[in-house]
Amino acid sequence: MESEQIPSKLLSHFETIRRQEHEQISELLDVLGRVDGLPDSQMEQVRDALFHTNHPYLMVLVGPFGSGKSSVINALLGEEIMEVGPIPTTDRIVILRHGDDVQRSRTGDVETVFHPSPLLRNLSLVDTPGLESVFKVHDEMTHRFLHRADVVLLVMIATQVLTASNLEALQQLKNYGKRMVVVVNQVDVLEPEEREQVREFVLEQARLQLGFEPQVWLVSARQALAAQQETPRDEIAWDLSGFADIEEYIKETLGDVERVRQKLETPLQISQNVTKTALGLVKEQQAALDAHRKTAENIAVQIEQGRRAQQKTVDETLAAVEAAWNEASARGAEAISDLFQFSRGLRLFFGGLGEIIGLGGLMRRFGGRTRVESVLDEHRVKETFERIPPLVDKLGPRLESRDLQDIDDLVDYTRAAVKELPPNLANKVIGRIQTPLRYEARFIRDVRGRLDDLLRDSERFEVGRLDRTLRNTLVLLTLWEILALALMVVVGVTAFSGATPDAASLLLVFALGLILVVGGLALVPIRGWFLRRAYLRRQHANRDEYLRLLREAAHELIAYGVQLRQDATAPFTRMVESQSEVLETLRDELQAQQHALTRIQGGLAALEPDEARRHIE
Ligand SMILES: Nc1nc2c(ncn2[C@@H]2O[C@H](COP(=O)(O)OP(=O)(O)O)[C@@H](O)[C@H]2O)c(=O)[nH]1
Ligand SMILES: [Mg+2]
């Protein structure tokens, strides 16, 4: 049985839209499933909408057990696909859908039977077990199908029409507001004249007892099936079976373009409404989250402030260390200048003399201190260097205590924030907000050995070498001066032996001598200048290395402290962050769904019903 009257082109347009709808709404269901707090009833509505887009037209058969529901379905399909019999066989709902081959599948209480009958292309049939279960509210499944039905056929046995339960069923279906038809089956057991009496009886009783007259079909499923099983179909018997009425009704209903459109429009409208509700919810949740996001931002700001404060402490210490180091090396340089002063040349000369004859060593042994040492002491070089370690010693504990204090504060702050969370957000806080169980205070300690080495190297610098250089210089100077004097004597003796010395030669010799002596003395500050330069270079290199090591260790410590702060507050901040993302994604997806649904609605509206009717007529 094909519905030839419906223009197939229009039908295929509707079919395309139906598929789009089905896809879109099943996508929408996924998205809606992720919206927190969307009432179940709303989800149910969309599931319903999805169901409708999956079933072009749903005809549900209800009626007492044995009235012939399964037989009616078999007759319509022309095949004994449903089990039929006087004994209750099935207690479940069976839905018949179009499929290329006969196939059965079952999910929960519902069995789906696929059948290739062309009738099923535009119509799904639902077989229910018996009247008893149909109107029990707890029988969820039956209720759901009744609720989704486009038409309900109340099947009754011709000899037992309008029993109490049939009447009640009629009343209930009426209350439901469903389109319904009374199907009086097994009329083959009645005499032809009795059949119209039955119809009259049903109409009258319904009018009297329920106040309305339903549509009534008198049929014989047995005769109809027999007619269907003839090839070609026995049209006369088919007509007599009353099934021609059912066929006509189906054709008319399915050919009603406005109905088809309505059938496609309703799920879209429902989906739009629910999507709007969901979007509202998501936006509300975003607004609610905003306050908590501020808290998370505050936490981030506090962490950054903590980091800056720590950085400042480090910078101060580094500056103090650098200043002390600079001062110490300046003092050291001064000491060197002092040691190698020109004016000291003469004194040094005698010192050198002492060295040569071994007195210097003796003096050093007795005095216990070298000249260099005592000059460095005079300039308080070591003392200045010694100001550095306490600065470093203080840095670690200062940073650490600030870290611990900050973390405590942050933990208190974050815990209070978590307490403020509504349950749905509080549930999403994964992990505990707590101060870390361990605090690693090793970063500065780790470099301490290397720092001390550098410092010691700088303090001790040159005492030995300076001492040696100074001695060598003095020895050199003394030798030089002796040589110069000796030269003067030799030249003088040679020049003045025998002859009377003339004033000019005398002056020449004297000047030569003076140049040699003074030149020798000038060697000392020149030597000192080079030494001082090397000293400062070395000091600066040590200082820079010292500061670099300290800075790096402090940076590690600061980064570690920041990490601890972040870890301690992470359960909250992570929740806020991920929740923001989730909500934003949801909002975008819901908006995309809205647009997609609107697009499909537009496509549906573009199929003009008037034009469609013209096609039909
Ligand atoms: N005489 C007669 N018996 C029928 C007709 N339709 C069904 N029956 C019989 O009624 C009994 C119950 O039919 P079935 O379709 O299983 O009823 P269901 O329980 O409502 O599904 C079966 O024994 C059928 O053979 C009919 O049109 N005429
Ligand atoms: Mg049955």
Side-chain angles (χ1 to χ4, degrees):
M1 184 189 82
E2 276 285 10
S3 353
E4 309 88 351
Q5 291 140 300
I6 309 169
S8 60
K9 201 172 152 208
L10 187 69
L11 261 192
S12 80
H13 285 327
F14 276 128
E15 178 60 14
T16 310
I17 290 180
R18 186 185 67 75
R19 292 226 182 94
Q20 286 174 358
E21 270 189 52
H22 186 68
E23 239 167 69
Q24 200 60 53
I25 297 177
S26 58
E27 234 180 67
L28 173 64
L29 260 179
D30 276 351
V31 181
L32 291 175
R34 305 201 316 264
V35 177
D36 255 351
L38 186 67
D40 265 357
S41 60
Q42 301 263 314
M43 281 299 275
E44 197 46 49
Q45 281 184 28
V46 179
R47 268 189 222 114
D48 248 21
L50 182 69
F51 183 91
H52 280 293
T53 61
N54 204 13
H55 294 277
Y57 189 77
L58 196 68
M59 185 179 258
V60 177
L61 289 88
V62 300
F65 161 74
S67 56
K69 299 176 294 289
S70 303
S71 300
V72 167
I73 289 173
N74 286 345
L76 280 170
L77 301 181
E79 192 181 332
E80 284 175 274
I81 193 84
M82 303 299 296
E83 230 177 296
V84 158
I87 300 158
T89 43
T90 54
D91 57 351
R92 72 184 98 100
I93 287 170
V94 182
I95 177 160
L96 284 114
R97 307 193 50 186
H98 187 265
D100 293 334
D101 307 297
V102 175
Q103 253 183 43
R104 291 169 193 269
S105 71
R106 192 170 170 174
T107 42
D109 291 338
V110 181
E111 183 180 0
T112 303
V113 178
F114 294 91
H115 190 276
S117 165
L119 175 73
L120 294 177
R121 270 189 226 267
N122 301 309
L123 173 84
S124 295
L125 293 165
V126 176
D127 194 6
T128 60
L131 262 193
E132 302 68 37
S133 69
V134 169
F135 296 107
K136 277 185 199 146
V137 180
H138 72 259
D139 198 338
E140 269 259 1
M141 222 46 211
T142 316
H143 250 260
R144 194 169 294 168
F145 275 98
L146 268 189
H147 167 68
R148 288 168 174 171
D150 290 296
V151 65
V152 180
L153 304 188
L154 175 59
V155 183
M156 44 188 77
I157 302 176
T159 53
Q160 298 160 39
V161 289
L162 297 198
T163 55
S165 58
N166 275 344
L167 263 177
E168 193 198 330
L170 208 51
Q171 179 68 61
Q172 298 251 30
L173 288 170
K174 173 76 182 162
N175 294 347
Y176 242 73
K178 281 287 166 193
R179 218 203 271 218
M180 75 173 128
V181 179
V182 170
V183 179
V184 178
N185 187 30
Q186 310 192 11
V187 294
D188 53 286
V189 300
L190 302 178
E191 296 303 321
E193 60 273 15
E194 291 174 320
R195 299 187 185 176
E196 281 312 310
Q197 288 172 9
V198 169
R199 186 198 302 277
E200 286 308 316
F201 178 69
V202 170
L203 290 174
E204 190 185 285
Q205 287 301 307
R207 193 176 57 241
L208 287 177
Q209 304 204 32
L210 308 173
F212 74 99
E213 283 191 354
Q215 190 169 358
V216 178
W217 297 333
L218 301 175
V219 302
S220 164
R222 179 169 291 177
Q223 287 175 351
L225 181 64
Q228 279 269 50
Q229 281 170 340
E230 299 289 322
T231 336
R233 186 168 83 179
D234 182 343
E235 292 299 337
I236 296 171
W238 177 256
D239 219 18
L240 284 174
S241 75
F243 269 64
D245 282 345
I246 304 185
E247 201 173 48
E248 189 52 35
Y249 174 86
I250 291 173
K251 271 183 190 168
E252 246 174 47
T253 312
L254 295 184
D256 181 350
V257 172
E258 200 37 56
R259 187 203 62 79
V260 177
R261 176 208 298 290
Q262 197 57 51
K263 171 93 179 165
L264 290 174
E265 172 62 26
T266 310
L268 289 172
Q269 199 48 58
I270 290 172
S271 301
Q272 285 281 27
N273 291 346
V274 177
T275 307
K276 202 173 156 199
T277 308
L279 202 54
L281 267 173
V282 167
K283 283 181 179 164
E284 259 172 44
Q285 287 164 6
Q286 280 186 313
L289 191 66
D290 270 349
H292 306 299
R293 210 163 43 194
K294 291 250 161 57
T295 310
E297 276 162 19
N298 279 346
I299 290 173
V301 167
Q302 284 178 49
I303 291 177
E304 175 56 19
Q305 279 170 351
R307 194 192 63 74
R308 276 207 217 116
Q310 297 289 64
Q311 187 61 55
K312 202 174 150 224
T313 305
V314 170
D315 289 346
E316 280 167 11
T317 302
L318 288 172
V321 168
E322 188 173 7
W325 203 297
N326 287 346
E327 191 186 327
S329 30
R331 286 176 184 278
E334 231 170 85
I336 294 173
S337 301
D338 244 18
L339 280 167
F340 291 84
Q341 253 177 41
F342 181 78
S343 66
R344 289 203 173 169
L346 265 182
R347 227 185 322 142
L348 290 177
F349 169 70
F350 292 108
L353 217 53
E355 285 298 335
I356 290 172
I357 55 177
L359 270 178
L362 215 61
M363 264 164 63
R364 267 198 306 284
R365 224 162 290 141
F366 285 117
R369 293 165 66 84
T370 61
R371 229 198 107 52
V372 172
E373 271 176 321
S374 60
V375 172
L376 286 177
D377 265 2
E378 242 168 66
H379 284 269
R380 302 215 309 271
V381 178
K382 194 165 177 194
E383 203 184 306
T384 312
F385 271 122
E386 274 164 1
R387 271 170 24 212
I388 293 175
L391 292 172
V392 177
D393 285 341
K394 262 186 276 167
L395 179 62
R398 262 181 83 187
L399 294 176
E400 288 153 20
S401 73
R402 167 89 200 222
D403 271 351
L404 294 175
Q405 184 57 52
D406 270 14
I407 292 168
D408 274 350
D409 291 350
L410 275 169
V411 163
D412 288 347
Y413 181 73
T414 312
R415 277 193 182 147
V418 168
K419 271 206 193 106
E420 294 290 304
L421 289 176
N424 68 316
L425 288 180
N427 285 341
K428 295 189 176 81
V429 176
I430 297 160
R432 274 165 53 84
I433 302 200
Q434 58 183 4
T435 46
L437 302 173
R438 240 159 63 85
Y439 184 90
E440 290 268 12
R442 63 185 166 77
F443 299 97
I444 292 181
R445 221 171 45 212
D446 281 358
V447 292
R448 194 52 207 268
R450 287 159 73 196
L451 291 178
D452 286 348
D453 287 348
L454 281 167
L455 197 64
R456 222 172 299 130
D457 183 60
S458 274
E459 275 175 6
R460 266 199 322 231
F461 172 57
E462 317 297 315
V463 173
R465 218 183 105 193
L466 266 179
D467 223 18
R468 259 192 325 277
T469 314
L470 187 60
R471 247 180 300 148
N472 295 344
T473 310
L474 298 187
V475 170
L476 210 68
L477 172 68
T478 311
L479 288 175
W480 173 273
E481 299 298 343
I482 290 170
L483 265 171
L485 286 175
L487 196 69
M488 274 171 68
V489 169
V490 171
V491 171
V493 167
T494 318
F496 307 126
S497 62
T500 334
D502 61 289
S505 321
L506 209 63
L507 204 67
L508 191 72
V509 169
F510 184 73
L512 186 69
L514 203 64
I515 286 168
L516 285 174
V517 171
V518 172
L521 290 180
L523 262 182
V524 176
I526 289 170
R527 193 68 204 254
W529 185 83
F530 278 107
L531 267 176
R532 182 188 147 108
R533 207 174 65 149
Y535 171 82
L536 281 175
R537 208 177 279 152
R538 175 84 178 268
Q539 288 295 356
H540 289 166
N542 277 355
R543 177 200 65 194
D544 291 346
E545 177 65 1
Y546 192 97
L547 291 173
R548 188 186 67 78
L549 281 174
L550 187 57
R551 185 179 299 119
E552 272 173 17
H555 273 177
E556 270 184 80
L557 178 54
I558 292 175
Y560 173 72
V562 167
Q563 188 63 50
L564 286 183
R565 287 168 177 80
Q566 283 167 347
D567 290 349
T569 53
F572 176 78
T573 52
R574 246 193 336 242
M575 182 283 290
V576 170
E577 211 171 288
S578 71
Q579 212 38 34
S580 296
E581 258 169 52
V582 163
L583 289 177
E584 197 162 320
T585 312
L586 260 181
R587 195 199 54 205
D588 291 350
E589 286 183 31
L590 286 170
Q591 279 167 348
Q593 291 289 331
Q594 278 186 323
H595 292 146
L597 289 169
T598 307
R599 247 196 328 275
I600 298 175
Q601 277 173 315
L604 189 59
L607 296 180
E608 272 296 324
D610 293 343
E611 196 187 327
R613 262 198 205 99
R614 250 202 335 274
H615 279 292
I616 296 171
E617 282 155 12

